[in-house]
Amino acid sequence: LNEADKHTDGIRAILELVRDTLGFEAVAIRLAENGDFPYYTTEGFPEKFVILERSLCHRDGAGKIECEPDGRPLLECMCGTVIRGRTDPSLEFFSSGGSFWSGCTTNMLASTSEKERQSTTRNQCNGWGYESVALIPLRSNGETIGLLQLNDRRKHQFTPQMIDFLERFGAGVGIAVARLKSDEARRMIEERIAQKQKLESLGRLAGGVAHDFNNLLAAILGNAELALADTPCFSPARESLDELIEATKVAGGLSRQLLAYAGHEHRESRPIDLSELVEAITGLLEVSISKKAVIRYNLEKGLPSVEADLNQLRQVIMNLVVNA
């Protein structure tokens, strides 16, 4: 465990070691995940068994996870009993260390009640022919973070001494797994910090590009408006100049988005009529798509206004049409 570089490799190495050394048919480790304790890795169990038993959460008829009074998910089966620490050492199938073990699950199920077993038992292990079953809690800092499971179709594969050894072994596994998960969490934090620094650098770059781009757009827009003023009303060039001016304004909106991304400009929301917005950019839409495609407009008049940033909304419409 201490030599393993990766979380999964370390846990898989544990299972292989346990299975090979103790000679059990199937072993598995469950680890806490979002309130549930699904199988993290298994050795020797049939795939269908793993799928059926992966989750321990009890669900109602609608498939919704039921919770205990303290808000935690209600865990089914003997695995849930061990994880929640509801074992009774006065019963022979529970150890003083909080584990469950049985060398003959058929007899154990026939001679005990669910009240004695402290759980709603799904009996999948026995149904698949596993007579010897042991469930060992994995703990760290007084908290159960997982479960070591050992199954065998042969009867009477456990002794009290073996369970005592597995519990001490489980305590070491729990500490090592917690350390590995802590290392994994630290690496994730470091990756997020590095990503944040990259985004900050990208934001500074975007801000610089946007300012230079704005200067170019200002020159284009100014000259286009001057040319439009000198162009006769009947000239076909006026339509082209109108589209050039509109495209320049849209490009200016993109530039402002870059500035907003860089944190240099705030987005501005105001009431917008969607139909009027589409009408205003019809020429730009039609020159932005393939000549093989035709746009047909069916715009409703008198729509309620939406509260939005004009530049972002214009870009949304452009993206929808161009992508379609």
Side-chain angles (χ1 to χ4, degrees), residues 53-295:
E53 289 290 276
R54 186 178 301 279
S55 173
L56 293 179
C57 291
H58 178 74
R59 298 175 184 271
D60 60 20
K64 183 180 179 180
I65 295 176
E66 293 190 354
C67 293
E68 300 189 41
D70 61 5
R72 295 183 300 176
L74 179 62
L75 302 181
E76 290 185 312
C77 213
M78 195 61 74
C79 291
T81 298
V82 173
I83 289 170
R84 292 296 187 231
R86 299 192 179 112
T87 58
D88 181 357
S90 67
L91 299 172
E92 62 179 1
F93 45 83
F94 290 131
S95 75
S96 58
S99 300
F100 163 83
W101 65 288
S102 173
C104 185
T105 57
T106 299
N107 290 344
M108 189 272 296
L109 291 170
S111 61
T112 60
S113 65
E114 287 195 342
K115 183 178 180 180
E116 290 175 313
R117 298 193 294 270
Q118 308 290 322
S119 67
T120 301
T121 310
R122 296 188 294 205
N123 302 338
Q124 286 288 346
C125 287
N126 182 257
W128 284 75
Y130 294 116
E131 291 290 354
S132 293
V133 177
L135 306 172
I136 312 297
L138 305 180
R139 298 191 179 101
S140 177
N141 295 324
E143 179 184 358
T144 300
I145 63 170
L147 196 73
L148 172 64
Q149 180 175 348
L150 305 98
N151 284 34
D152 204 296
R153 289 183 172 88
R154 297 170 297 176
K155 294 182 179 181
H156 308 302
Q157 294 301 300
F158 302 107
T159 64
Q161 292 76 19
M162 183 182 293
I163 296 301
D164 180 66
F165 162 74
L166 288 172
E167 285 178 341
R168 287 184 280 113
F169 175 70
V173 171
I175 293 171
V177 167
R179 180 185 61 79
L180 289 167
K181 295 185 80 170
S182 175
D183 291 344
E184 188 176 273
R186 177 178 51 79
R187 285 194 297 270
M188 291 177 65
I189 292 172
E190 290 173 349
E191 289 173 2
R192 284 199 293 268
I193 292 173
Q195 182 68 14
K196 182 181 178 183
Q197 291 172 340
K198 288 180 183 178
L199 290 174
E200 289 174 350
S201 298
L202 186 58
R204 288 193 292 271
L205 176 62
V209 169
H211 282 299
D212 292 341
F213 190 47
N214 267 342
N215 293 334
L216 295 172
L217 290 176
I220 295 171
L221 182 60
N223 282 286
E225 289 175 340
L226 289 173
L228 182 63
D230 293 338
T231 303
C233 294
F234 55 82
S235 173
R238 290 189 67 89
E239 183 178 353
S240 297
L241 287 169
D242 282 334
E243 290 180 356
L244 174 60
I245 291 170
E246 181 62 28
T248 306
K249 291 178 179 178
V250 172
L254 293 174
S255 177
R256 284 189 290 276
Q257 286 185 41
L258 280 174
L259 286 171
Y261 172 77
H264 298 161
E265 184 170 303
H266 296 291
R267 298 183 177 94
E268 181 181 354
S269 294
R270 63 181 179 84
I272 299 170
D273 185 302
L274 289 175
S275 293
E276 290 181 1
L277 174 59
V278 173
E279 283 181 330
I281 61 173
T282 52
L284 190 58
L285 288 171
E286 288 168 1
V287 299
S288 300
I289 65 171
S290 167
K291 300 301 179 184
K292 297 178 182 179
V294 177
I295 301 180

